[in-house]
Amino acid sequence: MADDKKKEDKKMGHLVSLHYAEELNPLLVRFAEQLLDGRLVGHRGSSGQVYMPPKGYDVMTLDPTTEADEVELSDHGTVSGYTIITPVQYYGQQETKPFVYASVLLDGGSMPVGGQDIINCEHADVRVGLRVRAVWKPQEERSVEGLSNRGWGGLDGVIIGFEPTGEPDAPEKVRGFL
């Protein structure tokens, strides 16, 4: 075994990616059409909770939901949590300035929608309880690309972000969820 030679590591100096397409299930196709139409629609389950995007079942009871359970939610809501992100530069990073990602509990909904940009607001003015409204992209610019059966994608293709409404902060009991 004296003649053992070390194998050289072989490295590839290229970026590799894999692109694939997956058809949306019928529930998400309907949800996507509603988003493109400027509507936020969820399902009210048997527990009374409203889920957006709809899941096709009540998370609490596992009872199925259908189109008959659709509920249109407001595009106004309340910040239920947030973080200020300072971008660290890496390959592909688009953001260069700090930005705010928030969870927004839409009026009429039971669960906050996470990862929403808060815009037209100083970072120091963002707080839990802040009342916000969606700023929609023009209809011709809306896209549901990235929406998937796996829970990827969301409102970013149709909504630019959420901005303060100027209303007083939501009362404590409204700031949470469930």
Side-chain angles (χ1 to χ4, degrees):
M1 297 226 174
D3 293 331
D4 284 344
K5 294 183 181 179
K6 280 190 169 180
K7 292 185 179 181
E8 289 185 35
D9 288 338
K10 294 183 181 184
K11 298 178 184 176
M12 181 170 66
H14 307 295
L15 291 175
V16 177
S17 62
L18 174 64
H19 298 278
Y20 62 93
E22 176 182 39
E23 286 188 31
L24 293 178
N25 68 51
L27 183 66
L28 284 178
V29 168
R30 183 166 172 78
F31 178 68
E33 290 167 351
Q34 292 163 330
L35 284 178
L36 292 172
D37 195 34
R39 300 173 54 225
L40 300 168
V41 179
H43 280 190
R44 182 179 313 279
S46 58
S47 67
Q49 304 300 316
V50 176
Y51 303 102
M52 198 281 308
K55 300 183 182 314
Y57 62 94
D58 185 310
V59 174
M60 303 294 280
T61 65
L62 302 181
D63 292 333
T65 59
T66 67
E67 287 181 27
D69 300 304
E70 284 185 351
V71 176
E72 186 162 353
L73 285 82
S74 172
D75 64 356
H76 286 58
T78 302
V79 172
S80 62
Y82 69 94
T83 188
I84 299 172
I85 299 172
T86 302
V88 175
Q89 292 307 299
Y90 58 86
Y91 180 81
Q93 174 67 26
Q94 301 290 325
E95 298 288 343
T96 57
K97 296 179 182 176
F99 58 97
V100 178
Y101 259 180
S103 294
V104 175
L105 179 60
L106 296 172
D107 295 349
S110 299
M111 298 291 291
V113 181
Q116 301 306 304
D117 288 318
I118 301 298
I119 60 174
N120 304 328
C121 181
E122 295 295 323
H123 296 164
D125 294 332
V126 178
R127 59 198 174 275
V128 171
L130 179 68
R131 295 285 298 153
V132 292
R133 70 174 150 251
V135 177
W136 291 83
K137 290 183 177 182
Q139 190 149 12
E140 64 276 4
E141 294 178 23
R142 294 179 190 164
S143 167
V144 291
E145 184 178 344
L147 189 63
S148 84
N149 298 320
R150 302 171 201 281
W152 301 334
L155 304 181
D156 58 333
V158 295
I159 292 176
I160 297 168
F162 284 81
E163 66 182 2
T165 63
E167 299 171 81
D169 286 0
E172 287 279 335
K173 66 180 181 175
V174 177
R175 296 180 188 186
F177 54 93
L178 286 182

